[in-house]
Amino acid sequence: MSNSELVPAGRKALRAVLCLGVGLTALSAIAAPALAQESETEDTRTMQTVTITATKREQTLQDVPIAVSVVDDATIERAAIVDLNDLQSIIPSLRVGQLQSSANTNFIIRGFGNGANNAGIEPSVGVFIDGVYRSRSASQISDLPNIERVEVLRGPQSTLFGKNASAGVISVVTKKPQFELGGVVDATLSNENGYRANGYVTGPLAENLAGALGVSYNKRDGYVEDIGTGTKTNERNRWGIRGDLLFEPNVNTTFRLLADYDQIDELCCAAANVVNGPTGAIVQAIGGTIIAEDPFGYRVAYNLPSTNKVDNGGISLQGDFDFSGMRLTSITSYRISNLETNQDSDFTGADLLGENSNKTDIDTFTQELRLTSTNGDRLDWMVGGFYFDETVEIENALLYGTDYRAYANALSSGGMTMVEAALGLPVGTTFGQAGQGFRDEAGQDNTAWSLFGTVDYRLTDRLTATVGLNYTEDKKDAYNRIQASDIFSSLDFVAIGFAQTLGLYGVDATDPAQVGAFAAANPAAFAAIQAGVQDPASNPLLALQPLQFLPPFLGFPNAVESGRTKDSSTTYTLRLAYDINDNLNAYVSYATGFKATSWNLSRDSRPFARDFIPGSPVTGPASSPIRDAGLALPNLTTGTRYAGPEDSAVFEIGLKAVYSTVAFNLAYFDQTIEGFQSNVFTGTGFALANAGKQSNQGLEFDVSWNPVNNLQLVLAGTIQDPVYDDFPNSASGDLSGRTPYGIPEVTTSTAATYFFDVAGWDAYVRGDWQYESPVDHFDSPADQALIGVQKEVSTFNASTGFTNDNGLGVTLWVRNIFNDEYITVAFPAVAQAGSIMGYPSAPRSYGVTLRKTF
């Protein structure tokens, strides 16, 4: 059997094994274990019932027949989880990637997810906080507020959440204000001069009015030393405030008004040199410093710090109105997210890029109306509508630094100087000058609306059928305008070679009459000249084309490209759930999802091949709409302006069980996304394209066990087999049949918590272990060959805590005990062929938290 035959054979074998296991055990969706919720009494150290609202009505975790993991406030506290980045340490199906700034985070569920690095790309994983959709990662990673629980729903969720989410949903639920005075104050001291403080107070304001106010402050020195600027990066410097009012004018009406504001102002995030390619010697020769191939020395050498400032804020009003047999819910929100960054994106001590700044402003309005049945006997239903209106405005600048010309000349053996002299331009002051580059203004207006609903019908006392539908329309008006000042990148070396060659025949290439006469009189010679100027062997100027990083940009909308897209889709959920007995539930489901077109709002946004055929005018390229409209620019190439819609589907079978001392959950899933919106960094920019088809199938499991009252053991994991079924035109060539990079075949999370009493204090000790099997860093075989290693994760965390009857508590914690080292994300170095950069994992951190609850 050939290697090509082994791949599908292996997939079929895995499918057979998984399906056999499914059939034998009547699998159902993995769910987070029903852990103890508090530690004040002996009863809370054993298995408890967990209530969630993933289906828009309160249900126990066992009774929810969907793939959902739940992390409650007690687990968040004990595991020292601060923000959404930390959740992946206890939810195996969730991956969170921190990229080049504090506001650039990518959420992935079951191997599917995108949205970072380009505000035009809507995430495949939706994030909701108290029912309000957070559309971009910049508004998702602030320190967690006063959490009640976090629900992670896997797979398409369009029939439960009005905003379509093709890969899954992270739903954060905070605690409501109480009509009794209470609160909590805590302070944390940690290594790297870290200190964090949080305060929360709640209580009655009037007979029917309760309020709550929460504040947070988080500061820590950076753990990466930048010897170039003398600063430390990867720091923490953020704060937030959140107000919450609960008004209950009568037993049938509730209003909840939320307002929040938070700010991040820090230096982040350090990319280290992983592979020092041949250009590294040139950087050093012109005076630049490189900390070569030592990513876990946590030292870098930049010539300017990477600054990040993120402001998030918003207000929302939720109203719940109970009528006879039904509840009407309205959620209205308005949010802003403002981002300002500037980075040394060449990641060296040389001043190659003097500025890579970004300013992004996002204003979002949402309105959801939902009607839910409340007293169904055999029939439960929910129907709703969702409206979304968002404006994105982006300002970018990418400008060369003072060392760029020397670097480019060294790469080309003086090519810039040679061309200046040949064209009679001022030598040394024309090309590659500091401040040349581009300035970009881009944005989009996005409006969308959807109608959605579900019906649960109990066919028998134990068998329930569910049907859900969603219809979505999405409209985007996008624009992108770039002012390019890189003169060298605007040179048409084919036309220059053409003019030089004709000049040898005494023909002025700028005079159409002379060129036409020469071509008519010497057709064979003219054809040979046209062919020769496109051949690097005949035209040495073509060797300089790789230095044309920032060619002229064709803005849109224009006479050919409207900058508009309009998409619509109907998605659905079908499910059968069966209560085998009071402790055991099984279900089978099929669900579809949809994500609308995403626009490439970056300098790498290029016309589609259908609109333009590249080529120098002197070679007589074929007709195309952009050229026919007179819009062609020198060195204009093709690519994508946008990636079309994603259509997802998932088939699941599972089993959920809860007994007095043990809970186990098992699920088999087979998930596909047609037209997955792939956004890949290529070394000089990002390539946005639709993969024809990407799929993933696997097994999720979760077991929690209380062998004795004082001990909780948890094991959760995912075994999966992701593949690009069809992706012939990726930025890395034909990837069809290959495994997507960055998706581990095996991920597990293991935890043990032991409760005990000491001198009148309730106490616990907890340890957890996160494991991910090795994965490639790149889809590109060439880039993967350069790095030569695979990412593997094996991280241990631990904590211990003590609480007395007066609400006083102390927690000692340590994360990454054994300094597990791995590169979280790797990428080709900017304009440095053969070099690879990467973000190193965070080193060990530890601290102590003091808490007072009242």
Side-chain angles (χ1 to χ4, degrees):
M1 181 178 291
S2 69
N3 289 337
S4 61
E5 292 172 315
L6 283 173
V7 173
R11 285 177 54 79
K12 290 178 180 177
L14 174 63
R15 183 183 296 112
V17 170
L18 294 177
C19 289
L20 177 61
V22 168
L24 291 175
T25 58
L27 305 179
S28 82
I30 176 176
L35 298 178
Q37 303 300 298
E38 302 291 344
S39 58
E40 286 88 6
T41 66
E42 194 70 24
D43 290 342
T44 60
R45 299 176 181 181
T46 58
M47 200 71 60
Q48 300 292 302
T49 298
V50 176
T51 300
I52 66 174
T53 55
T55 57
K56 305 303 181 181
R57 56 169 56 90
E58 289 190 355
Q59 292 179 279
T60 65
L61 191 57
Q62 179 194 2
D63 291 333
V64 177
I66 59 178
V68 54
S69 295
V70 179
V71 183
D72 64 2
D73 59 335
T75 302
I76 288 171
E77 178 184 323
R78 293 173 190 146
I81 292 174
V82 176
D83 59 28
L84 295 183
N85 288 321
D86 296 332
L87 282 179
Q88 61 187 325
S89 65
I90 54 177
I91 301 178
S93 292
L94 174 67
R95 299 271 65 79
V96 183
Q98 178 72 63
L99 302 175
Q100 75 267 27
S101 78
S102 303
N104 225 311
T105 302
N106 203 22
F107 299 95
I108 298 173
I109 294 178
R110 289 178 175 170
F112 297 109
N114 55 18
N117 288 303
N118 192 330
I121 302 176
E122 190 172 306
S124 299
V125 175
V127 175
F128 293 77
I129 297 182
D130 289 323
V132 175
Y133 178 59
R134 304 289 186 96
S135 66
R136 296 296 187 277
S137 60
S139 58
Q140 296 164 358
I141 66 169
S142 301
D143 289 10
L144 293 174
N146 193 46
I147 294 298
E148 181 175 304
R149 64 183 179 276
V150 179
E151 303 171 3
V152 179
L153 293 79
R154 299 182 287 279
Q157 302 298 330
S158 61
T159 62
L160 293 176
F161 295 82
K163 193 70 176 86
N164 241 307
S166 57
V169 162
I170 301 172
S171 178
V172 179
V173 180
T174 66
K175 296 177 180 178
K176 294 180 179 180
Q178 301 296 306
F179 285 92
E180 294 183 5
L181 183 64
V184 61
V185 177
D186 65 64
T188 298
L189 296 177
S190 61
N191 63 321
E192 304 292 353
N193 294 318
Y195 49 93
R196 189 172 70 244
N198 296 279
Y200 176 81
V201 61
T202 184
L205 301 176
E207 181 180 358
N208 299 319
L209 180 67
L213 180 67
V215 294
S216 65
Y217 184 75
N218 186 355
K219 188 174 179 60
R220 186 203 67 212
D221 290 345
Y223 58 80
V224 178
E225 180 184 4
D226 184 349
I227 65 172
T229 64
T231 62
K232 287 191 173 183
T233 188
N234 288 44
E235 65 176 358
R236 282 288 181 266
N237 185 19
R238 49 185 67 176
W239 64 272
I241 184 169
R242 193 171 195 263
D244 193 347
L245 291 175
L246 181 67
F247 179 47
E248 297 180 344
N250 55 60
V251 295
N252 297 321
T253 306
T254 300
F255 293 98
R256 189 181 183 191
L257 179 66
L258 290 162
D260 66 274
Y261 178 81
D262 62 81
Q263 185 180 91
I264 299 173
D265 189 0
E266 53 198 30
L267 303 181
C268 191
C269 302
N273 180 276
V274 180
V275 176
N276 189 25
T279 58
I282 298 176
V283 171
Q284 291 172 318
I286 63 174
T289 302
I290 295 178
I291 308 298
E293 301 183 358
D294 185 23
F296 303 109
Y298 298 103
R299 295 171 70 243
V300 296
Y302 301 159
N303 58 281
L304 62 93
S306 294
T307 57
N308 301 261
K309 185 176 181 182
V310 187
D311 295 280
N312 292 309
I315 186 168
S316 66
L317 176 64
Q318 176 172 338
D320 293 291
F321 311 91
D322 288 329
F323 303 100
S324 176
M326 66 185 69
R327 169 175 291 184
L328 175 65
T329 298
S330 170
I331 303 177
T332 307
S333 77
Y334 176 74
R335 298 203 59 81
I336 60 168
S337 180
N338 301 324
L339 161 70
E340 291 186 40
T341 66
N342 188 31
Q343 296 154 343
D344 183 9
S345 291
D346 59 73
F347 303 111
T348 73
D351 188 21
L352 305 182
L353 291 178
E355 180 180 341
N356 182 18
S357 61
N358 175 276
K359 184 177 184 295
T360 300
D361 296 331
I362 302 175
D363 293 352
T364 308
F365 172 81
T366 63
Q367 173 65 58
E368 180 175 356
L369 288 174
R370 190 172 64 242
L371 197 61
T372 307
S373 65
T374 56
N375 62 355
D377 180 17
R378 302 187 67 87
L379 182 70
D380 288 319
W381 51 267
M382 182 269 291
V383 62
F386 182 82
Y387 178 74
F388 175 84
D389 189 345
E390 181 174 81
T391 300
V392 177
E393 296 180 345
I394 305 169
E395 294 180 7
N396 285 324
L398 184 63
L399 306 177
Y400 295 137
T402 55
D403 293 329
Y404 172 73
R405 180 185 171 92
Y407 175 72
N409 253 340
L411 284 176
S412 60
S413 300
M416 285 190 170
T417 300
M418 177 189 69
V419 175
E420 285 171 339
L423 297 179
L425 299 171
V427 174
T429 60
T430 303
F431 300 144
Q433 300 300 297
Q436 290 182 351
F438 77 81
R439 296 188 181 276
D440 179 16
E441 292 183 357
Q444 70 177 20
D445 292 323
N446 181 195
T447 57
W449 62 271
S450 64
L451 298 175
F452 61 98
T454 60
V455 175
D456 298 322
Y457 182 70
R458 280 171 282 283
L459 300 171
T460 69
D461 289 342
R462 295 190 176 273
L463 181 63
T464 301
T466 298
V467 176
L469 286 174
N470 177 295
Y471 176 77
T472 296
E473 282 195 3
D474 186 286
K475 179 182 178 182
K476 292 184 174 75
D477 292 313
Y479 66 92
N480 199 341
R481 300 182 292 268
I482 290 182
Q483 296 178 345
S485 57
D486 179 6
I487 302 172
F488 187 79
S489 292
S490 67
L491 298 178
D492 183 345
F493 288 128
V494 172
I496 293 173
F498 180 77
Q500 290 176 335
T501 305
L502 283 182
L504 299 176
Y505 294 90
V507 177
D508 182 0
T510 64
D511 186 344
Q514 290 189 41
V515 175
F518 178 81
N522 306 279
F526 187 77
I529 292 172
Q530 285 183 311
V533 296
Q534 300 177 75
D535 183 357
S538 303
N539 184 358
L541 291 174
L542 300 182
L544 301 177
Q545 287 179 332
L547 295 181
Q548 297 181 308
F549 298 118
L550 305 175
F553 180 89
L554 178 62
F556 65 86
N558 54 54
V560 175
E561 301 169 298
S562 68
R564 296 178 178 177
T565 53
K566 184 176 180 180
D567 305 305
S568 63
S569 179
T570 299
T571 55
Y572 59 90
T573 296
L574 303 173
R575 181 168 58 241
L576 285 175
Y578 184 67
D579 297 335
I580 298 172
N581 54 47
D582 291 341
N583 303 101
L584 199 60
N585 309 80
Y587 84 86
V588 57
S589 71
Y590 183 81
T592 64
F594 163 79
K595 187 176 81 169
T597 293
S598 287
W599 280 84
N600 191 349
L601 301 181
S602 76
R603 66 180 177 86
D604 302 292
S605 178
R606 296 168 183 162
F608 290 103
R610 63 176 180 262
D611 293 326
F612 182 64
I613 298 175
S616 173
V618 301
T619 62
S623 173
S624 62
I626 285 177
R627 193 175 299 278
D628 295 344
L631 299 175
L633 297 172
N635 303 324
L636 182 64
T637 59
T638 59
T640 62
R641 293 296 197 188
Y642 57 80
E646 288 181 0
D647 293 300
S648 58
V650 60
F651 171 73
E652 295 177 3
I653 311 177
L655 185 70
K656 304 163 78 103
V658 175
Y659 296 91
S660 60
T661 61
V662 66
F664 67 89
N665 309 275
L666 200 59
Y668 165 75
F669 65 88
D670 190 342
Q671 187 164 337
T672 62
I673 291 187
E674 300 274 357
F676 177 74
Q677 295 173 0
S678 171
N679 189 48
V680 178
F681 187 64
T682 60
T684 56
F686 290 87
L688 175 63
N690 289 103
K693 181 181 179 182
Q694 182 176 341
S695 65
N696 193 8
Q697 55 184 277
L699 190 69
E700 295 171 320
F701 60 89
D702 188 306
V703 180
S704 60
W705 181 34
N706 290 120
V708 295
N709 282 349
N710 291 354
L711 180 64
Q712 295 176 354
L713 303 176
V714 177
L715 172 63
T718 301
I719 303 171
Q720 55 192 343
D721 181 25
V723 67
Y724 287 122
D725 299 274
D726 178 33
F727 198 179
N729 299 314
S730 81
S732 303
D734 189 355
L735 297 177
S736 302
R738 294 180 59 88
T739 300
Y741 80 96
I743 307 175
E745 291 184 357
V746 178
T747 61
T748 61
S749 178
T750 307
T753 306
Y754 182 71
F755 299 93
F756 58 98
D757 296 317
V758 54
W761 292 63
D762 291 326
Y764 74 90
V765 60
R766 171 191 168 92
D768 62 71
W769 172 47
Q770 176 191 1
Y771 172 76
E772 296 179 12
S773 61
V775 294
D776 285 345
H777 286 280
F778 297 100
D779 277 338
S780 166
D783 288 334
Q784 182 60 37
L786 284 175
I787 196 169
V789 296
Q790 291 181 311
K791 168 189 169 183
E792 183 178 21
V793 176
S794 182
T795 303
F796 291 83
N797 310 301
S799 62
T800 184
F802 306 85
T803 305
N804 66 14
D805 293 337
N806 295 321
L808 184 64
V810 58
T811 302
L812 292 88
W813 53 268
V814 56
R815 297 186 68 84
N816 195 7
I817 298 174
F818 303 112
N819 262 334
D820 184 28
E821 296 177 344
Y822 55 93
I823 299 297
T824 60
V825 177
F827 56 93
V830 176
Q832 300 168 65
S835 291
I836 300 294
M837 309 299 294
Y839 299 107
S841 57
R844 180 191 303 115
S845 61
Y846 51 88
V848 57
T849 300
L850 300 177
R851 180 177 291 101
K852 171 63 177 177
T853 302
F854 58 90

